[in-house]
């Protein structure tokens, strides 16, 4: 027997209309490339999203077509999120920190038809424009007065594009499973892979994010997302804030600037801030130097990489701010676990509470977890046994865009293999202990160790090379190149590092080189990265 409830589709446009109607006066504050402090309301934002939706329809796009963004966190980027997805197109957020070859690959693979770009990234697109021929035009995110000179073809100014459009728009009645957004991850081996979110997955993820033991957003919150809108939908913040009615403070290009972030927190009364550990290190260092404390801030959600115990302690003891660690992945929309306090554990000592807070957290309702051994057997949740971490749920990807299962990312019984290795304790707190995937995470962004190894193998002085991530106080991890020299050669550290220049992005180049006589191998001849990581566990980068 079927239930007798309405089968109303879960659509992103419904969040826009809800936010505008119930929280129309709530503010959105942005730092942008052309304005140090822009401020308007939810109602104005959604009106402009409707104007943009009309403009997109006039561009002759078909439902499902991809529209890309290359932009910082600000109000125009938010308008695009709602207009593109709400109107039935797919909002493809592109990471401007990628190397030109990766940008070309991603834009072509996605078959983007238009690109909305911040003025400061226009030169980046000029460099690659002859290789992205399917793109029909570019919209620069500024007003007519700030339009840059450019050699890009078919360029429109954003404010001009929407100026004469109506703020009335009938959002289409889409299938809730239709695609809404696309984000590529380089956190796996091989080419970047596209994760294609749906309206349904996005709404369920936003509901779950707003639960009290997750991000816990309410209409009383003032939220500073220092997680980029170009990376996994800024952890769902564009949706959960508008759904809850939380004021939003967008830092624009000031993401890594401790002083600017502190000033935003103080002047806008931020209660919740979200970001990767590297960002908070900059903020804490600034506060400590300037003798400031973060008065309004109540909690911060830190994820994307392991959160150092000292950071959690400094937030708690100096600023009276609760740190909630989060773990997730692009493939998971991204939230999987959040480390919020659990009833029954109040009597733990302060030290034990800190230890617990260094774990990745408890699974959210809607995201199932399991850890398995090499034969796929489930391991006990005792906080000791560790194994490959698998996840399953309505906001976890079922495949990658246009790969038709070839990435072999899922088990036969339908779980997604995260590439992380973890323990789970009896209270359900998961802790990441290692990674099976061959990538390094620096400042929250991926570096491919395989690409670094392949590149340096082109140097005649290298017989064999491996690149591993080693702990770094600022970036969490940085690449270390470990090399076996070719017989009769004597390549130096500086020579090998210089060899990378122009071949990979500058921030990918390893911080140091160690020369060894041999590398550890598996029986099948692969380099044993786990053993190599153990070998260099005590290694510290030179200053
Ligand atoms: P991304 O897809 O770029 O969001 O990266 C997801 C990956 O980042 C995970 O599979 C982990 O390897 C890593 N990661 C995310 N959050 C954490 C965390 N709290 N602790 C350790 N690693 C994390």
């Amino acid at each position: 027997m079927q239930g007798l409830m309405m089968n109303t589709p879960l659509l992103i446009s419904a969040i826009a209309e809800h936010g505008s109607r119930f929280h129309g006066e709530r503010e959105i504050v942005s730092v942008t490339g052309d304005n140090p402090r822009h401020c308007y309301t939810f109602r104005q934002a959604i009106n402009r999203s409707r104007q943009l939706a009309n403009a997109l329809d006039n561009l002759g796009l078909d439902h499902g077509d991809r529209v890309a963004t290359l932009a910082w966190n600000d109000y125009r980027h938010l308008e695009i999120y709602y207009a593109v997805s709400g109107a039935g197109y797919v909002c493809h957020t592109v990471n401007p920190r990628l190397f030109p070859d990766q940008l070309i690959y991603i834009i072509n693979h996605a078959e983007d038809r238009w690109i909305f770009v911040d003025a400061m990234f226009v030169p980046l697109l000029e460099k690659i424009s002859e290789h992205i021929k399917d793109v029909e035009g570019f919209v620069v995110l500024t007003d007519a007065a700030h339009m840059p000179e450019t050699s890009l073809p078919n360029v429109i100014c954003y404010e001009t594009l929407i100026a004469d459009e109506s703020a009335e728009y009938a959002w289409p009645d889409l299938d809730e499973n239709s695609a809404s957004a696309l984000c590529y991850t380089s956190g796996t081996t091989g080419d970047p892979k596209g994760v294609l979110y749906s309206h349904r997955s996005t709404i369920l993820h936003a509901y779950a994010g707003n639960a009290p033991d997750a991000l816990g957003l309410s209409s009383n919150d003032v939220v500073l997302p220092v997680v980029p809108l170009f990376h996994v939908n800024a952890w769902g913040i564009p949706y959960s804030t508008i759904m809850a009615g939380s004021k939003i403070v967008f830092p624009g290009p000031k993401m890594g600037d401790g002083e600017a972030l502190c000033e935003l927190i103080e002047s806008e009364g931020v209660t919740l801030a979200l970001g990767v550990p590297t960002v908070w290190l900059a903020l804490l260092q600034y506060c400590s130097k300037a003798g400031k404390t973060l008065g309004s801030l109540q909690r911060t959600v830190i994820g994307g990489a392991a959160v150092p115990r000292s950071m959690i302690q400094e937030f708690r003891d100096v600023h009276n701010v609760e740190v909630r660690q989060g773990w997730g992945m692009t493939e998971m929309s991204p939230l999987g676990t959040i480390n919020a306090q659990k009833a029954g554990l109040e009597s733990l000592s302060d030290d034990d509470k800190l230890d617990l807070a260094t774990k990745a957290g408890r699974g959210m309702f809607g995201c199932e977890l399991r850890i398995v051994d090499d034969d796929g057997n489930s391991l006990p949740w005792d906080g000791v046994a560790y194994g490959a971490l698998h996840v399953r749920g309505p906001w976890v990807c079922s495949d990658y865009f246009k790969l038709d299962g070839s990435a072999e990312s899922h088990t036969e019984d339908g779980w997604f293999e995260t590439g992380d290795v973890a323990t789970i304790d009896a209270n359900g707190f998961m802790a990441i202990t290692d990674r099976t995937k061959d990538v390094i995470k620096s400042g929250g962004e991926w570096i491919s160790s395989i690409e670094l190894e392949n590149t340096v193998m082109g140097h005649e002085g290298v017989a064999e090379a491996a690149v591993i991530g080693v702990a770094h106080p600022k970036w969490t991890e940085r690449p270390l190149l470990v090399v076996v020299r070719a017989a009769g050669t004597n390549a130096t550290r500086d020579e090998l590092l210089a060899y990378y220049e122009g071949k990979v992005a500058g921030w990918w180049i390893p911080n140091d080189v160690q020369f060894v006589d041999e590398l550890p191998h598996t029986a099948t001849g692969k380099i044993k990265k786990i053993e190599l990581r153990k070998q260099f566990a005590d290694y510290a980068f030179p200053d």
Side-chain angles (χ1 to χ4, degrees):
M1 185 164 63
Q2 298 264 295
L4 288 173
M5 305 307 284
M6 291 187 192
N7 203 5
T8 313
L10 303 175
L11 297 178
I12 288 170
S13 54
I15 303 183
E17 292 306 319
H18 173 88
S20 176
R21 176 164 292 269
F22 287 93
H23 306 285
E25 298 308 315
R26 205 66 171 122
E27 287 171 299
I28 299 171
V29 176
S30 308
V31 178
T32 73
D34 55 28
N35 188 340
R37 195 69 60 101
H38 175 277
C39 184
Y40 71 170
T41 64
F42 278 21
R43 184 168 302 115
Q44 287 170 298
I46 302 307
N47 278 346
R48 282 165 53 92
S49 284
R50 293 196 209 95
Q51 286 177 274
L52 176 57
N54 279 311
L56 290 168
D57 286 355
N58 293 338
L59 290 176
L61 299 169
D62 295 317
H63 278 181
D65 281 350
R66 271 75 67 203
V67 175
T69 64
L70 203 67
W72 292 116
N73 287 15
D74 69 25
Y75 67 101
R76 292 191 183 103
H77 205 168
L78 181 82
E79 292 165 8
I80 300 169
Y81 259 66
Y82 279 99
V84 172
S85 304
Y89 313 116
V90 177
C91 182
H92 173 204
T93 52
V94 181
N95 182 345
R97 294 198 188 111
L98 296 177
F99 201 52
D101 281 352
Q102 292 171 307
L103 287 176
I104 295 168
Y105 174 84
I106 284 173
I107 292 167
N108 287 338
H109 190 266
E111 300 171 71
D112 293 326
R113 289 190 61 182
W114 280 80
I115 301 183
F116 284 64
V117 56
D118 267 346
M120 69 188 288
F121 299 129
V122 165
L124 206 60
L125 287 180
E126 284 170 342
K127 273 196 217 131
I128 64 167
S129 71
E130 64 176 289
H131 303 288
I132 49 171
K133 295 276 187 231
D134 292 340
V135 177
E136 289 161 38
F138 303 86
V139 179
V140 182
L141 296 167
T142 190
D143 54 22
H146 293 88
M147 276 297 279
E149 285 284 316
T150 173
S151 59
L152 287 176
N154 205 9
V155 173
I156 308 177
C157 161
Y158 182 82
E159 294 299 331
T160 311
L161 176 73
I162 66 170
D164 296 330
E165 297 292 350
S166 165
E168 302 279 308
Y169 184 77
W171 300 108
D173 206 6
L174 305 166
D175 175 345
E176 65 176 13
N177 287 304
S178 54
S180 59
L182 176 64
C183 182
Y184 280 73
T185 177
S186 13
T188 50
T189 42
D191 288 323
K193 297 180 179 64
V195 181
L196 192 59
Y197 310 102
S198 69
H199 285 260
R200 175 185 151 80
S201 70
T202 303
I203 303 269
L204 293 175
H205 179 261
Y207 274 132
N210 279 350
D213 274 358
L215 310 182
L217 298 195
S218 82
S219 66
N220 295 308
D221 273 311
V222 180
V223 180
L224 174 72
V226 195
V227 285
L229 287 170
F230 59 71
H231 183 207
V232 220
N233 315 313
W235 301 355
I237 285 300
Y239 309 111
S240 44
T241 46
I242 303 281
M243 193 184 255
S246 319
K247 171 175 162 181
I248 314 172
V249 181
F250 282 126
K254 300 285 183 190
M255 308 270 279
D257 182 334
E259 181 173 359
L261 294 177
C262 180
E263 198 280 318
L264 277 175
I265 291 171
E266 279 183 337
S267 59
E268 299 299 336
V270 171
T271 59
L272 166 66
L274 306 95
V276 296
T278 302
V279 161
W280 300 134
L281 199 64
L283 176 72
L284 290 174
Q285 272 170 358
Y286 169 76
C287 289
S288 152
K289 224 169 68 194
K292 300 207 171 208
T293 47
L294 301 163
S296 61
L297 199 63
Q298 295 164 5
R299 59 201 193 285
T300 164
V301 177
I302 313 183
V307 186
R309 193 177 193 273
S310 56
M311 179 174 284
I312 303 171
Q313 186 166 22
E314 189 168 343
F315 267 117
R316 185 187 75 180
D317 296 348
V318 178
H319 299 279
N320 196 22
V321 171
E322 178 198 352
V323 170
R324 289 190 180 179
Q325 177 158 186
W327 167 87
M329 300 180 70
T330 308
E331 288 88 337
M332 300 168 61
S333 302
L335 302 176
T337 65
I338 302 275
N339 195 333
Q341 286 167 20
K342 188 179 180 188
L345 301 176
E346 300 83 358
S347 58
L348 288 180
S349 68
D350 276 2
D351 250 20
D352 288 347
K353 278 185 183 151
L354 264 184
D355 287 342
L356 188 60
T358 61
K359 295 192 173 193
R362 288 179 279 133
M364 298 159 69
F365 175 70
C367 180
E368 285 179 81
L369 308 174
R370 75 177 183 190
I371 42 175
V372 300
D373 65 16
D374 288 348
D375 300 321
N377 304 309
S378 274
L379 291 166
W381 290 23
D382 58 8
V384 178
Y386 60 88
L389 177 63
H390 295 174
V391 292
R392 182 165 81 167
W395 59 81
V396 177
C397 72
S398 60
D399 197 359
Y400 291 101
F401 185 45
K402 299 203 296 196
L403 288 193
D404 298 327
S406 62
E408 296 179 355
S409 46
H410 291 69
T411 62
E412 273 177 16
D413 58 348
W415 291 72
F416 174 70
E417 300 182 78
T418 65
D420 287 322
V421 177
T423 60
I424 307 179
D425 69 19
N427 281 306
F429 286 84
M430 185 271 283
I432 303 284
T433 57
D434 205 343
R435 218 180 262 152
T436 55
K437 44 197 175 191
D438 238 349
V439 277
I440 295 161
K441 207 161 201 201
S442 166
E445 307 252 8
W446 291 113
I447 295 176
S448 161
S449 52
I450 291 181
E451 201 168 322
L452 290 177
E453 287 158 9
N454 290 345
T455 304
V456 83
M457 288 303 290
H459 190 286
E460 60 188 9
V462 177
E464 201 175 13
V467 176
I468 51 170
V470 170
H472 186 280
K474 176 166 182 196
W475 303 106
T476 310
E477 267 182 8
R478 286 294 302 160
L480 172 72
L481 171 63
V482 186
V483 165
V484 179
R485 284 194 179 103
T489 64
N490 200 16
T492 64
R493 165 193 186 274
D494 292 349
E495 211 178 307
L496 294 181
L497 296 184
Y499 186 73
Y500 280 110
E501 269 158 38
K503 299 187 179 78
V504 298
W507 61 275
W508 277 35
I509 299 177
N511 283 35
D512 198 13
V513 185
Q514 292 287 296
F515 295 97
V516 293
D517 292 336
E518 59 179 339
L519 291 168
H521 290 99
T522 63
T524 54
K526 282 191 189 166
I527 297 170
K528 274 192 195 161
K529 287 284 179 74
I530 292 187
E531 195 165 318
L532 201 61
R533 281 198 283 271
K534 274 192 202 138
Q535 201 176 317
F536 285 93
D538 295 330
Y539 171 86
F541 286 114
D543 283 343

